[in-house]
Amino acid sequence: MTSFPGLGPSSGFLQSPAWRAALALVVVFVMLAMTGWTAIRGSKGDANPLATAKAAWQGATFHGRALPDPDDSPSKLRAFFSSLDRAERKQLATRYPLVVGNMGGAPVQLRYRANRMAIDHARAEEQQRMGDRKLTPVGRQEAGRLMHRLESMLTSGRQILAFDPAGGGRAAEVFGNLNKADRVSVVVPGVDTNLSTFERTARATTAPVGMARSLYDAEREARPGTRTAVIAWADYTSPAGLGVGAATGQMAEAGAVRLRGLVESLPNGSPVSLFCHSYGSVVCGVAARNLPSNVEDIAVAGSPGMRADSLSGLNTRARVWAMRDADDWIKDVPYLEVGGLGHGADPVEPSFGSRVLSADGAVGHAGYFAPGTRSLQNFALVGVGAADAVDCATDDPRCSTDLV
């Protein structure tokens, strides 16, 4: 057996708490992956149609003038679109649907229109792939599933705010009137989020679309007079399963940039609440440090940690809420961070400092948005600005204090 100086069984390093903690993290995540809690996400290759479309946009002119950088600030892009008339906006959306559909600062209704065209194009491509004999039978079957998912996204009345077909794909959908909303809620999902898992027919509230629709319905029931909008935000690249990607913060850091961009691009300055599930809470924890001031609440459920050791480590002015069902397997993940592995302290522990909400009625790791649960009702009350009416965990007397 090969030996390494200083790393023998009796060495101080291998006996250190830090080493044992890091090893425990690796073992736990590997065990989770091996016991069937890891989903396999297919890939269609490295094609990046959005990047190609952006390159075409940047190389083009419109009525004799250069088009703005599609990644410019929402305020600059908003000013650009304000300078165009209705026909000109539609012309750009038709010519560059992927670009306009994903452009923060573009009018919301125009983004919905552009994304319908982009999704229809992607649907036609998947329909062709279904009959491509160069693909394996499994590949053709996956193309069929994705084609039907895209067909569903084209259903009349759906409001797709973002759509990117590259890789597993990303998307965001709005419930309610985003332009006129008094309050906006954003649902940030966890691992294995892509176009194929964006919504589900069975167990609908375990997928981003079902989570957001369920929250929207609960908010309207909780306070009918408040105009709310809820966004199913699956517009970041999440880890595939519970491997090393889920145990580190790299994807969360990239997702946090996109989440901040979403909030900055919202059409008005209405108060925003984030509802972050599982690995989505890691994204929200990283984003918390630089979120716009209109983000009033960050609520996490089934969190593996928020990349912080305490509430003060999040460096946010937003109220931070946390909940976890007693049967949620996430409680068995080591709550620490060593050498980049792990996501820090447990947000439901009193020492962390968040406000701990009741999750009564939720079943397991994916049950927090199920209708009739106290977890969903609590989320809805936070979302409509009625935090003084939430049902706190019995062991957290600080939960409902100092809410102003």
Side-chain angles (χ1 to χ4, degrees):
M1 180 183 297
T2 302
S3 62
F4 298 90
L7 292 181
S10 60
S11 71
F13 178 74
L14 290 182
Q15 297 299 318
S16 70
W19 170 255
R20 291 199 299 271
L23 182 60
L25 279 170
V26 173
V27 169
V28 167
F29 278 98
V30 169
M31 287 179 65
L32 293 179
M34 293 176 65
T35 52
W37 291 343
T38 298
I40 299 174
R41 176 158 54 188
S43 173
K44 295 183 291 182
D46 295 326
N48 194 333
L50 178 55
T52 301
K54 283 184 175 181
W57 167 284
Q58 290 174 311
T61 58
F62 188 66
H63 296 317
R65 58 174 172 160
L67 293 168
D69 185 337
D71 296 317
D72 216 334
S73 69
S75 60
K76 289 184 179 180
L77 293 170
R78 197 171 289 118
F80 166 73
F81 280 100
S82 295
S83 71
L84 305 177
D85 62 30
R86 187 182 184 91
E88 289 171 333
R89 293 174 190 171
K90 287 184 177 180
Q91 187 178 351
L92 279 177
T94 300
R95 189 179 300 177
Y96 305 102
L98 268 178
V99 180
V100 175
N102 290 281
M103 190 178 289
V108 168
Q109 294 295 332
L110 189 67
R111 291 180 66 174
Y112 297 160
R113 177 188 179 93
N115 282 320
R116 271 193 89 75
M117 290 184 279
I119 293 168
D120 190 45
H121 179 74
R123 180 205 57 78
E125 287 192 341
E126 293 305 317
Q127 191 171 33
Q128 284 187 331
R129 282 165 49 83
M130 289 171 60
D132 188 347
R133 293 299 164 183
K134 290 182 290 186
L135 295 177
T136 65
V138 172
R140 293 194 295 272
Q141 188 178 41
E142 288 177 349
R145 282 198 295 265
L146 182 53
M147 190 272 290
H148 289 299
R149 180 64 63 230
L150 294 171
E151 280 188 339
S152 175
M153 293 174 71
L154 289 170
T155 302
S156 177
R158 295 190 66 169
Q159 303 176 135
I160 306 301
L161 185 67
F163 172 75
D164 181 358
R170 301 188 294 225
E173 182 171 5
V174 175
F175 296 89
N177 190 325
L178 195 55
N179 284 317
K180 296 182 178 180
D182 298 320
R183 303 187 65 89
V184 177
S185 298
V186 182
V187 175
V188 184
V191 301
D192 287 315
T193 297
N194 51 60
L195 289 177
S196 294
T197 60
F198 188 48
E199 60 180 314
R200 293 189 175 99
T201 302
R203 300 177 66 234
T205 58
T206 65
V209 168
M211 291 177 179
R213 183 182 286 119
S214 183
L215 179 59
Y216 178 62
D217 290 343
E219 287 184 352
R220 289 193 297 169
E221 182 178 349
R223 185 172 281 184
T226 299
R227 293 178 298 186
T228 65
V230 180
I231 303 173
W233 189 77
D235 194 26
Y236 81 103
T237 301
S238 72
L242 297 176
V244 174
T248 60
Q250 184 175 1
M251 289 184 171
E253 290 169 4
V257 173
R258 298 184 66 83
L259 180 57
R260 287 193 291 267
L262 167 75
V263 177
E264 290 169 353
S265 70
L266 294 176
N268 56 52
S270 298
V272 174
S273 298
L274 305 181
F275 298 92
C276 321
H277 177 245
S278 194
Y279 190 84
S281 68
V282 186
V283 177
C284 291
V286 176
R289 297 156 177 83
N290 295 298
L291 287 170
S293 59
N294 61 321
V295 176
E296 294 187 350
D297 297 280
I298 301 173
V300 303
S303 174
M306 300 180 72
R307 306 296 290 181
D309 291 327
S310 66
L311 179 62
S312 62
L314 293 176
N315 193 26
T316 180
R317 289 174 291 181
R319 291 173 296 207
V320 177
W321 310 81
M323 66 170 69
R324 186 175 65 219
D325 175 59
D327 296 326
D328 191 336
W329 57 260
I330 202 76
K331 68 181 183 296
D332 296 323
V333 172
Y335 283 95
L336 43 81
E337 187 275 326
V338 179
L341 285 172
H343 303 302
D346 184 351
V348 302
E349 282 296 315
S351 59
F352 187 88
S354 58
R355 303 166 186 268
V356 183
L357 294 167
S358 169
D360 285 353
V363 178
H365 187 60
Y368 297 99
F369 291 85
T373 59
R374 192 57 180 165
S375 53
L376 176 64
Q377 186 176 1
N378 276 330
F379 276 171
L381 289 169
V382 170
V384 298
D388 56 340
V390 299
D391 185 9
C392 301
T394 55
D395 57 351
D396 186 5
R398 303 167 302 170
C399 170
S400 59
T401 61
D402 301 321
L403 292 174
V404 178

